Amino acid sequence: MILEINNLSKKYGDKKALNKFSCKFTEGIYGLLGPNGAGKSTFMNILVDAIDRSSGEILYNGKETISMGKDYRNLIGYMPQQQGVYDSFTVAEFLDYIAGLKGLKKTEAKKRIEEVLKFVNLYDVKNKKLKSFSGGMKQRALIAQAILNDPKILILDEPTAGLDPKERIRIRNLISQIGFNKIVIIATHVVSDIEFIAKEVLILDNGILRKKDTPENLLKGIEDVVYEAEINEQDVNSIMNKYTVTSLSKEYAKIRVRFLCDGIPDVDNAKKASPTLEDLYLHIFGDR
Ligand SMILES: Nc1ncnc2c1ncn2[C@@H]1O[C@H](COP(=O)(O)OP(=O)(O)O)[C@@H](O)[C@H]1O
Ligand SMILES: [Mg+2]
């Protein structure tokens, strides 16, 4: 299975929300990283055929997806960024409704709904209304609807938005279990959502694909950039003014600072540290 994107662009008036985006996806989990406004949702909306592209190609196993029509849409599961439309439904009713929209047969739908409810761990609350759910439970209900038709291509737009760290970990674990024999694309501005589970990371900046590679290779690119040092509290500000600081932690009387520097740092006893994706993200986007 291969999904090939060639020179995909989307304009809103003069604004290029997506600018000649090209890449190939095969089975596995991909993390689409970028700050707000980078074009992540625009890309996903085009991929799931919710909005039209301005130009470019999307080929599924060599076939233009526009000409595939419904055959293409049937391959797709989509978790949109917005939620809260179906609050008066129970989660079972919600999934039943979505199964209808997706054209699943009644008996097949019933079995599949039970399966996905168990998978996202909402089976015990299947008759509770969505409006009574926590943010994490709602996100899991949205994941459940996205995988209902056992899609070949699963598109998740900010699946952990608004969740606390524990719920985020739970969602991440769920996604990592879905990953086999599908193309899974996760858009997020939260690096930890995709760190360790993505086979490749795509970095989108202002509609332009800046990088696409395995996490390992991406980190090799900033091998000589990340430093750590122990400093005194009064030096924190001057370091923050000079460098991008990626973390600060207090250790007894000292402060441990982690920062990015492309040359030789002007900080006493600074030692090179092994980079993380968070460092990479901040190296590209700084404080944006
Ligand atoms: N319907 C729209 N009309 C006009 N501009 C839009 C529309 N949707 C998105 N944009 C603009 O396109 C850019 C990319 O937005 P979006 O794809 O939502 O980014 P992201 O999901 O990465 O935050 C932004 O500058 C946004 O304001
Ligand atoms: Mg978005």
Side-chain angles (χ1 to χ4, degrees):
M1 178 169 52
I2 179 160
L3 186 67
E4 200 176 336
I5 319 290
N6 293 324
N7 287 316
L8 190 67
S9 294
K10 176 73 182 177
K11 279 194 199 160
Y12 290 109
D14 288 340
K15 169 86 199 171
K16 286 182 179 159
L18 210 58
N19 194 352
K20 297 196 171 153
F21 185 110
S22 298
C23 75
K24 294 187 177 97
F25 298 98
T26 55
E27 281 93 342
I29 301 179
Y30 295 82
L32 180 62
L33 263 182
N36 281 331
K40 304 182 295 296
S41 295
T42 300
F43 174 58
M44 296 196 140
N45 277 309
I46 295 172
L47 262 191
V48 305
D49 211 9
I51 62 172
D52 290 333
R53 59 190 100 154
S54 301
S55 58
E57 293 180 326
I58 303 176
L59 308 173
Y60 178 78
N61 292 340
K63 267 195 219 149
E64 173 51 67
T65 57
I66 293 178
S67 66
M68 289 175 70
K70 201 166 187 306
D71 289 340
Y72 173 66
R73 286 191 296 276
N74 284 341
L75 298 170
I76 293 207
Y78 173 45
M79 175 179 179
Q81 194 171 349
Q82 309 82 4
Q83 57 168 7
V85 218
Y86 301 102
D87 270 2
S88 61
F89 285 28
T90 69
V91 61
E93 287 165 350
F94 170 58
L95 293 178
D96 196 50
Y97 172 74
I98 298 290
L101 288 184
K102 292 192 172 180
L104 270 73
K105 293 196 185 73
K106 271 262 178 274
T107 45
E108 187 194 338
K110 198 166 171 246
K111 188 165 153 263
R112 187 63 190 150
I113 288 170
E114 300 231 323
E115 264 172 33
V116 297
L117 280 171
K118 284 178 185 155
F119 176 69
V120 300
N121 204 12
L122 291 174
Y123 190 77
D124 295 342
V125 292
K126 65 181 177 175
N127 294 320
K128 293 229 161 79
K129 290 200 164 147
L130 289 170
K131 68 175 152 223
S132 70
F133 277 16
S134 70
M137 290 162 83
K138 280 188 188 173
Q139 296 296 77
R140 280 186 272 137
L142 284 175
I143 290 180
Q145 66 77 31
I147 59 173
L148 206 52
N149 57 337
D150 196 19
K152 283 285 175 203
I153 303 170
L154 181 63
I155 308 290
L156 307 170
D157 199 351
E158 308 260 2
T160 66
L163 301 187
D164 65 37
K166 204 171 147 188
E167 286 174 321
R168 264 198 230 139
I169 291 169
R170 190 164 188 166
I171 297 281
R172 193 172 64 206
N173 289 340
L174 267 183
I175 295 169
S176 70
Q177 291 171 48
I178 302 171
F180 312 108
N181 66 48
K182 289 186 199 309
I183 295 170
V184 181
I185 309 174
I186 308 165
T188 183
H189 59 274
V190 182
V191 177
S192 59
D193 282 355
I194 50 130
E195 195 163 28
F196 313 122
I197 66 169
K199 87 165 176 183
E200 283 192 15
V201 174
L202 293 83
I203 296 186
L204 193 61
D205 180 15
N206 221 345
I208 295 171
L209 183 62
R210 289 273 298 267
K211 290 185 192 297
K212 174 182 182 279
D213 213 330
T214 61
E216 265 182 352
N217 285 339
L218 287 173
L219 296 184
K220 274 191 196 131
I222 55 161
E223 242 167 16
D224 300 324
V225 172
V226 187
Y227 290 87
E228 278 190 355
E230 278 191 358
I231 59 170
N232 294 314
E233 196 142 6
Q234 64 264 28
D235 297 328
V236 169
N237 271 334
S238 81
I239 290 188
M240 287 184 89
N241 290 336
K242 261 197 222 152
Y243 305 106
T244 300
V245 169
T246 68
S247 83
L248 277 173
S249 55
K250 195 151 184 146
E251 275 175 20
Y252 305 102
K254 290 277 195 171
I255 307 274
R256 174 166 289 277
V257 62
R258 186 180 174 93
F259 62 97
L260 309 177
C261 173
D262 287 296
I264 295 163
D266 177 23
V267 176
D268 285 345
N269 299 315
K271 290 194 183 76
K272 256 184 211 162
S274 42
T276 65
L277 274 184
E278 186 83 40
D279 296 320
L280 175 79
Y281 187 89
L282 290 167
H283 190 242
I284 295 173
F285 296 111
D287 296 331
R288 260 194 282 168

